[in-house]
RNA sequence: GGGCGCUUAGCUCAGCUGGUAGAGCGCUGCCCUUACAAGGCAGUGGUCGGGGGUUCGAGUCCCUCAGCGCCCACCA
């Protein structure tokens, strides 16, 4: 039931029409009756539902979709789910504002809670389960706009397979995953120095650190030798940590300080005796070559503290302010405790910054500060979500082993990275850099109100002491649990936080502890083992390069532990989209020029996808309106050329007849098909290597040459009903449409529907076996060159293209002459050559043509 | 400090194993040619970042320098 060809084909309305049709017919629905080897599965990244999507998302998700469509046409059953990341601080902020609430895990669950709504001040505190419910509610609303965008963009996602990162399924998988690691000792708790954000008052992991350049100053400060041998000068950017100083350290080979090793010095202002130690990490070139070790100023301090077996003297509290301490008490010995206390009292309760200002004044007064501080700019560690420098404080955390302090595991993780196929390959280096630079296990504990709870309770003994080392575990069937409101088996709510009772773990997991299970979550590991078996291990993980150290690494780690294998065979790493003007576009909501929905409605989805296809894996790409224009033109060209081919066929009375490749006898036709055969070959190879850009770079020039030269040359013969021409045109059109289908799903589907049954997106990817063998590609090439020259003659004479040519002489090398001569009749027709068309052998290529005189 | 990527026409980029520089856009000119005027045809345009080297021959291989972007780093 092929519909009639449109008179004036147009792109208008195609997106609404086909996205609705695809939805209704379920073309992209995953068929779970297939076996694993018939499946191609994708571990889709879940975009955060808080922020707006931007063109970069459209670009990288299109890359994945192009790949998905290719494999679907290759006959694979494609598992292409979609996720929403609603387990993030952004979401917390958004939910808080939208509903006028704030999350307080100490509150009990309230089943009947109704949020007051936006603008409520102060926000209403609610329990964590209540907060999570609102989060899911908002996510559901936001999903709608995401669905609209992705659908419009033509993503061939199966919308019956979606997941979130805070919903019950994710929590269940996430908590189960954690408990399984706990059982095997791969997750453990420890009290340890922890990188700490003083505003959010939470621990964070190494993977979420970033450096920011901040102004600071070297302060040259005098320590006093205990043997009265004079002063030792150190330089520090953090003089406020002098009370936390537990040692000085210099390089073992540093002759200046060798005499001091093993001796003691006293700290300025506080008069605490600290040893002088040797350690190879101390850099003789830096500052005065001898440094003070504080607990803790930075991660080097932690290393020194651990390796030199030093005591702890903590002065920074979880809020970033200086803690009260009692000088003279054990661990806080001072030569003159009263003087030390007096000095310290000046600092207590101040932020690090305030304390620094005050202590510098005091050091100046005591003449222990030498000279003026030297201003510098230096990198300081921040949480990527934070706004104040991180501190390092000591407290109890849950860790997952990651190779940071286990060489065997580190090597195993490096081997996994090596086993994974990276696209592009050089991204592997980033993974290796990261694994090699790990300096500790993965701290998954976050002291945040919102997130997936750590699914543990702890017994409290009769004396009220919490037993952190022997947690109470939930049963698998009870997952997910929230220990802040749920009660462990065998206890009652009344026993919460009571002697002889239990304490719920108040903390949540790092979001990556959940995201790293995305293959497990969406594949049904914890709730649909049959599905999981069909999709795991996945074929593809598409993602951005900046989260290689987090999402990619952690996912590999979790899969390594749980399944002893990679979670996917291939990782496709996308680049960034940048603005061509290098300037930030306005982000004012709605009508920003880079709003993805605007791009799609303005230029058309196929056009935007065409642009995206130009971005190779791992390469940045400019947001270029020009490319949208070109893509749109290509789509229109496909409509028109297709209509032309099919209308000629209809005119010849051959409409609907099956394509018969064996009818292609003409040398020019066979030449065109020979070229097409190599295009199929190249494009297929490129796709197999995840290089969709290379694929379209082969397909597109073929198509334009097909239109500009082949169609023009063959036109006359086709109109006359030549069987070879008709068969070649139909065959080429069928192949070209299918080659373009992954890139331009709308226009190709539209054209396909004019003549074929079923969706092109379930049609088979073209193979070279469809093309008759043989054919000399030189014939079309040579004929096109001659045709070009004939046109040039007319252009230079400023005459119309239909101006007849009285006579023409073509000169070229023998082989080229032979090739062009094979298309003589078509050349005469296309070039409107009325008189002689002569071919002569010559050294170079030239065409002399004489036009007929214009009518008087 | 270590590493990765990039540097080819005004712009965006192809140039895979070395063999006389390519595409599109832009620009200029021409053409209502019955698939396409939101089009078609043709033309203009480059000492392939700099400097060395290997080779009969290098955008393509080696060394080195520079700029841009990014990753990592124990930055007192």
């Amino acid at each position: 039931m092929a519909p009639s060809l449109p008179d004036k084909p147009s792109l208008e309305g195609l997106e609404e029409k086909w996205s609705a049709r695809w939805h209704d017919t379920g073309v992209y629905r995953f068929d779970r009756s297939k076996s694993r080897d018939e499946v191609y599965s994708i571990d889709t990244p879940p975009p955060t539902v808080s922020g707006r999507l931007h063109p970069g998302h459209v670009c990288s998700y299109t890359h994945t979709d192009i790949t998905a469509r290719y494999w679907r046409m290759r006959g694979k059953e494609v598992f292409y789910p979609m996720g929403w990341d609603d387990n993030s601080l952004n979401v917390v902020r958004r939910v808080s504002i939208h509903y006028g609430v704030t999350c307080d895990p100490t509150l009990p669950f309230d089943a009947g809670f109704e949020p007051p709504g936006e603008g409520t001040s102060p926000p209403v505190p609610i329990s964590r389960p209540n907060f999570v419910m609102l989060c899911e509610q908002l996510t559901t609303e936001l999903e709608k706009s995401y669905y609209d965008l992705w659908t419009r963009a033509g993503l061939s996602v199966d919308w019956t397979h979606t997941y979130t990162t805070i919903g019950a399924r994710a929590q269940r998988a996430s908590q189960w995953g954690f408990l399984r690691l706990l059982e095997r000792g791969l997750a453990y708790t420890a009290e340890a120095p922890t990188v700490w954000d003083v505003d959010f008052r939470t621990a964070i992991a190494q993977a979420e650190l970033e450096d920011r350049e901040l102004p600071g100053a070297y302060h040259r400060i005098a320590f006093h030798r205990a043997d009265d041998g004079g002063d030792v000068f150190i330089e520090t950017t953090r003089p406020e940590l002098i009370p936390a100083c537990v040692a000085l350290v210099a390089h073992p080979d540093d002759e200046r300080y060798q005499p001091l090793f093993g001796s003691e010095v006293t700290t300025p202002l506080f008069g605490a005796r600290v040893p002088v130690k040797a350690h190879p990490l101390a850099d003789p070139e830096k500052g005065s070559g001898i440094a003070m070790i504080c607990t803790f100023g930075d991660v080097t301090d932690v290393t020194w503290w651990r390796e030199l077996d030093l005591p702890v003297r903590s002065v920074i509290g979880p809020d970033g302010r200086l803690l009260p301490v009692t000088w003279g008490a054990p661990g806080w010995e001072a030569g003159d405790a009263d003087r030390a206390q007096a000095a310290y009292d000046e600092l207590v309760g101040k932020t690090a910054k305030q304390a620094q200002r005050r202590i510098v004044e005091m050091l100046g007064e005591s003449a222990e500060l030498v000279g003026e501080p030297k201003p510098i700019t230096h990198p300081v560690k921040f949480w990527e979500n934070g706004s104040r420098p991180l501190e390092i404080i000591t407290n109890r955390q849950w860790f997952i082993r990651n190779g940071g302090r286990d060489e065997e595991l580190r090597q195993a993780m490096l081997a996994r990275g090596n086993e994974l196929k990276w696209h592009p390959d050089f991204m592997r280096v980033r993974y290796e850099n990261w694994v090699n630079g790990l300096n500790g296990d993965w701290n998954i504990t976050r002291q945040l109100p919102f997130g997936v709870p750590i699914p543990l309770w702890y017994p409290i003994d009769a004396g009220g002491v919490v037993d952190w080392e022997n947690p109470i575990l939930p049963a698998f069937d009870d997952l997910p649990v929230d220990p802040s409101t749920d009660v462990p088996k065998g206890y009652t709510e009344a026993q919460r936080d009571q002697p002889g009772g239990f304490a719920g773990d108040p903390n949540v997991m790092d979001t990556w502890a959940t995201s790293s299970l995305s293959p497990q979550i969406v594949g049904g590991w914890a709730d649909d083992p049959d599905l999981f078996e069909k999709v795991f291990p996945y074929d593809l993980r598409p993602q951005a390069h900046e989260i290689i150290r987090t999402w990619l690494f952690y996912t590999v780690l979790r899969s390594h532990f749980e399944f002893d294998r990679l979670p996917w065979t291939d990782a496709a790493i996308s680049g960034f989209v940048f603005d061509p003007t290098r300037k930030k576009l306005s982000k004012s909501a709605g009508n920003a020029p880079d709003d993805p929905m605007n791009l799609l409605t303005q230029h058309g989805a196929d056009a935007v996808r065409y642009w995206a296809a130009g971005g190779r894996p791992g390469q940045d790409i400019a947001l270029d309106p020009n490319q949208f224009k070109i893509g749109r033109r290509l789509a229109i060209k496909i409509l028109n050329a297709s209509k032309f081919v099919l209308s000629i066929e209809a005119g010849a009375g051959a409409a609907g007849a099956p394509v018969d490749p064996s009818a292609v006898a003409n040398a020019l036709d066979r030449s065109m098909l020979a070229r097409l055969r190599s295009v199929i070959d190249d494009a297929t190879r490129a796709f197999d290597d995840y290089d969709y850009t290379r694929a379209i770079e082969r397909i597109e020039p073929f198509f334009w040459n097909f239109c500009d030269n082949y169609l023009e040359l063959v036109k006359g013969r086709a109109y006359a009903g030549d069987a070879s021409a008709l068969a070649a045109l139909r065959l080429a059109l069928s192949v070209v449409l299918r080659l373009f289908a992954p890139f331009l799903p709308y226009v190709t589907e539209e054209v396909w529907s004019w003549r074929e049954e079923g969706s092109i997106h379930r049609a088979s990817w073209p193979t070279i076996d469809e093309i008759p063998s043989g054919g000399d590609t030189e014939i079309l090439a040579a004929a096109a060159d001659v045709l070009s020259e004939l046109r040039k003659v007319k252009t230079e004479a400023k005459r119309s293209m239909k101006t007849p040519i009285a006579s023409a002489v073509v000169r070229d090398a023998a082989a080229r002459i032979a090739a062009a001569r094979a298309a003589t009749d078509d050349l005469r027709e296309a070039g409107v050559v009325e008189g002689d068309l002569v071919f002569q052998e010559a050294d170079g290529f030239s065409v002399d043509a004489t036009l007929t005189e214009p009518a008087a």
Side-chain angles (χ1 to χ4, degrees):
Chain A
M1 37 121 262
S4 60
L5 296 175
D7 282 345
K8 187 115 177 116
S10 150
L11 299 176
E12 293 311 309
L14 292 189
E15 292 163 22
E16 292 85 348
K17 171 180 163 187
W18 287 111
S19 51
R21 194 83 55 93
W22 293 332
H23 176 267
D24 294 343
T25 56
V27 262
Y28 308 130
R29 191 81 42 83
F30 177 66
D31 176 1
R32 63 189 293 164
S33 72
K34 297 282 167 90
S35 63
R36 179 63 192 87
D37 60 339
E38 297 171 293
V39 166
Y40 183 89
S41 50
I42 300 169
D43 181 17
T44 313
T48 174
V49 291
S50 65
R52 294 176 37 227
L53 294 177
H54 52 77
H57 287 106
V58 173
C59 185
S60 58
Y61 279 78
T62 297
H63 296 160
T64 305
D65 182 66
I66 289 168
T67 303
R69 289 179 180 277
Y70 167 71
W71 287 106
R72 195 178 288 112
M73 293 179 77
R74 284 291 301 272
K76 292 285 188 180
E77 189 60 30
V78 175
F79 182 68
Y80 187 9
M82 181 57 69
W84 321 105
D85 184 11
D86 47 4
N87 180 2
S88 77
L89 285 173
N90 294 328
V91 176
V92 171
R93 278 187 208 113
R94 191 146 179 169
V95 167
S96 301
I97 293 167
H98 190 75
Y99 296 109
V101 297
T102 165
C103 181
D104 181 351
T106 64
L107 294 175
F109 178 63
D110 176 358
F113 179 75
E114 288 294 331
E118 195 160 343
T120 307
S121 184
V124 178
I126 59 175
S127 77
R128 185 153 62 205
N130 281 109
F131 198 91
V132 168
M133 281 173 66
L134 291 179
C135 186
E136 290 187 80
Q137 198 173 312
L138 183 67
T139 301
T140 307
E141 283 175 34
L142 294 172
E143 273 176 23
K144 173 79 176 78
S145 68
Y146 278 44
Y147 172 85
D148 290 344
L149 179 70
W150 289 142
T151 303
R152 185 62 175 252
L155 297 195
S156 58
V157 161
D158 179 353
W159 291 98
T160 63
H161 288 282
T162 60
Y163 71 104
T164 70
T165 53
I166 196 65
R169 272 184 92 201
Q171 295 216 13
R172 187 176 165 86
S174 179
Q175 293 186 334
W176 191 36
F178 169 76
L179 292 169
R180 286 177 61 90
L181 295 181
L182 182 60
E183 280 169 24
R184 296 165 60 195
L186 297 169
Y188 64 93
T189 178
E191 185 142 2
T194 302
V195 191
W196 187 266
D197 185 290
V198 296
D199 287 319
F200 287 91
R201 299 192 195 181
T202 180
I204 68 155
Q206 184 186 357
E208 293 173 83
L209 295 174
E210 69 179 28
D211 289 343
R212 296 182 199 166
E213 286 287 333
L214 282 194
Y218 277 120
H219 302 76
R220 187 172 172 86
I221 289 169
F223 280 59
H224 317 293
R225 289 174 62 166
D227 59 6
D228 279 339
D231 288 347
V232 180
F233 298 96
I234 61 111
E235 291 192 10
T236 179
T237 55
R238 300 206 59 186
E240 72 277 18
L241 292 179
I242 290 171
C245 177
V246 292
L248 297 190
V249 65
H251 195 275
D253 299 337
D254 193 329
E255 293 179 3
R256 294 170 296 175
Y257 300 109
Q258 274 172 351
L260 292 176
F261 293 149
S263 74
E264 287 190 321
V265 295
T266 62
T267 62
L269 293 181
F270 304 99
R273 289 173 80 100
V274 297
V276 180
K277 299 278 188 176
H279 193 282
L281 272 186
D283 183 354
E285 303 294 316
K286 209 167 283 177
S288 59
I290 185 163
M292 69 170 181
I293 303 173
C294 305
T295 54
F296 298 93
D298 61 27
V299 287
T300 316
D301 280 343
V302 177
T303 306
W304 280 327
W305 167 79
R306 190 187 302 124
E307 296 185 8
L308 298 174
D309 199 21
L310 297 164
V312 178
R313 219 173 262 159
S314 292
V315 299
I316 304 283
D319 57 358
R321 293 174 182 273
L322 270 72
L323 295 164
V325 304
T326 308
W327 287 88
W332 295 92
E333 291 82 3
D336 178 346
D338 290 342
R339 178 176 175 256
Q341 193 67 48
Y344 193 81
D345 286 346
E346 297 280 324
L347 309 175
V348 168
K350 287 184 159 62
T351 64
K353 212 170 175 178
Q354 295 164 342
Q356 179 173 116
R357 220 170 292 135
R358 183 65 190 117
I359 202 169
V360 167
E361 290 169 8
M362 293 193 289
L363 288 164
E365 289 159 13
S366 68
E368 286 165 310
L369 174 67
V370 181
E372 285 297 305
K374 281 182 294 183
I376 56 158
T377 309
H378 63 155
V380 177
K381 299 237 179 279
F382 280 72
W383 186 18
E384 56 194 11
N385 296 311
S387 54
R388 274 205 280 171
L390 294 166
E391 295 291 351
I392 296 176
I393 69 173
T394 300
N395 51 19
R396 179 165 292 280
Q397 309 285 334
W398 281 96
F399 295 88
I400 292 178
R401 299 187 194 283
N402 66 1
R405 49 186 41 161
D406 174 346
E407 194 52 30
E408 200 178 326
L409 179 55
R410 190 195 298 269
Q411 290 307 320
M413 291 309 292
L414 287 170
R416 290 294 180 207
N418 204 39
E419 187 187 345
L420 183 62
K421 284 181 270 180
W422 297 77
H423 309 282
D425 190 64
F426 63 76
M427 287 292 176
R428 185 194 317 275
V429 177
R430 305 207 170 183
Y431 175 94
E432 289 169 350
N433 277 347
W434 179 250
V435 176
N436 281 320
L438 286 169
N439 57 26
D441 282 333
W442 175 17
N443 182 346
I444 60 159
T445 318
R446 294 293 173 278
Q447 285 70 17
L448 296 171
F450 177 75
V452 176
I454 291 180
L456 299 174
W457 300 267
Y458 307 94
I460 304 177
D461 70 15
V465 176
V466 178
D467 181 2
W468 302 106
E469 298 290 345
N470 295 290
I472 305 162
L473 279 51
F476 174 76
D477 289 340
D478 294 335
L479 297 179
V481 298
D482 188 336
S484 72
T485 56
D486 293 326
V487 176
K489 282 228 162 42
Y491 291 87
T492 64
E493 179 61 32
Q495 289 175 284
R496 184 182 295 275
D497 299 326
Q498 300 298 317
F502 70 94
D505 193 311
N507 297 324
V508 298
M509 295 184 216
D510 175 1
T511 62
W512 297 113
T514 301
S515 310
S516 59
L517 299 174
S518 59
Q520 285 91 317
I521 295 168
V522 73
W525 175 59
D527 47 28
D528 190 350
D530 170 68
L531 176 64
F532 194 63
E533 191 186 309
K534 301 291 170 63
V535 301
F536 190 91
Y538 289 62
D539 291 276
L540 178 65
R541 154 62 71 84
Q543 68 160 76
H545 53 71
E546 78 270 22
I547 51 175
I548 287 174
R549 68 180 185 175
T550 48
W551 196 34
L552 192 145
F553 171 71
Y554 288 145
T555 309
V556 171
L557 179 73
R558 302 299 292 271
S559 179
H560 173 75
F561 282 151
E562 193 62 54
F563 309 108
D564 192 23
R565 65 191 309 169
L566 280 174
W568 356 262
T569 57
D570 294 77
I573 310 297
S574 57
F576 281 133
V577 170
F578 61 91
D579 189 284
T581 66
R582 312 279 169 173
K583 275 187 284 182
K584 277 269 187 205
L585 287 174
S586 153
K587 286 279 179 192
S588 54
N591 286 333
D594 62 341
D595 181 83
M597 195 47 118
N598 283 351
L599 293 181
L600 292 170
T601 52
Q602 205 176 320
H603 304 281
D606 283 342
V608 172
R609 291 173 63 101
Y610 172 86
W611 158 74
R616 306 187 121 75
Q619 275 199 359
D620 296 345
I621 177 175
L623 185 63
D624 186 355
N626 218 2
Q627 292 299 312
F628 301 145
K629 225 172 69 189
I630 299 164
R632 188 172 178 83
R633 202 181 59 153
L634 173 63
I636 292 171
K637 192 76 174 181
I638 289 172
L639 282 179
N640 286 315
S642 302
K643 188 199 103 178
F644 176 57
V645 168
L646 295 174
S647 65
I648 290 179
E649 180 191 56
V659 180
D660 177 12
S662 68
V664 183
N666 178 281
L668 181 74
D669 301 338
R670 292 167 61 82
S671 174
M672 180 275 291
L673 291 179
R675 170 123 186 250
L676 181 55
R677 192 189 312 123
S678 75
V679 170
I680 294 172
D681 196 39
D682 288 349
T684 305
R685 278 178 211 276
F687 261 120
D688 284 346
D689 197 30
Y690 290 86
D691 194 350
Y692 45 82
T693 305
R694 191 184 184 87
I696 197 170
E697 278 174 358
R698 296 302 151 102
I699 299 162
E700 191 187 2
F702 172 86
F703 176 66
W704 284 104
N705 181 48
F706 175 81
C707 290
D708 295 345
N709 295 314
Y710 178 72
L711 277 185
E712 294 302 326
L713 284 164
V714 83
K715 212 179 241 182
R717 193 151 49 85
Y719 274 134
D722 177 72
S724 173
L726 290 175
L729 285 169
R730 264 302 292 286
L731 180 55
L733 179 65
S734 167
V735 168
V736 165
L737 286 176
R738 282 177 286 147
L739 291 173
F740 275 129
F743 301 97
L744 311 171
Y746 289 110
V747 73
T748 52
E749 184 75 318
E750 170 67 12
V751 171
W752 192 255
S753 76
W754 294 342
R755 194 55 94 232
E756 307 280 347
E757 295 292 333
S759 171
I760 192 173
H761 302 300
R762 286 279 181 175
S764 62
W765 182 252
T767 68
I768 55 172
D769 299 334
E770 295 178 40
I771 311 289
S773 60
D776 175 5
T777 56
E778 268 306 302
I779 294 173
L780 177 56
D785 287 344
V786 174
L787 179 60
S788 215
E789 289 296 318
L790 295 177
R791 285 169 178 153
K792 193 198 293 192
V793 170
K794 296 176 190 184
T795 296
E796 284 173 352
K798 305 191 176 188
R799 303 283 295 278
S800 156
M801 283 300 134
K802 65 183 175 187
T803 306
I805 287 173
S807 66
V809 181
V810 176
R811 296 185 183 82
D812 208 341
R816 293 260 304 169
I817 284 294
R821 199 197 299 274
T824 302
D825 292 346
D826 290 334
L827 273 171
R828 294 183 65 94
E829 180 78 22
V832 202
V833 181
E834 293 186 337
D836 293 336
L837 177 58
V838 180
F839 295 91
Q840 292 179 357
E841 275 186 42
D843 288 340
F845 175 54
S846 69
V847 175
D848 291 324
T850 310
L851 297 178
T852 56
E853 289 307 311

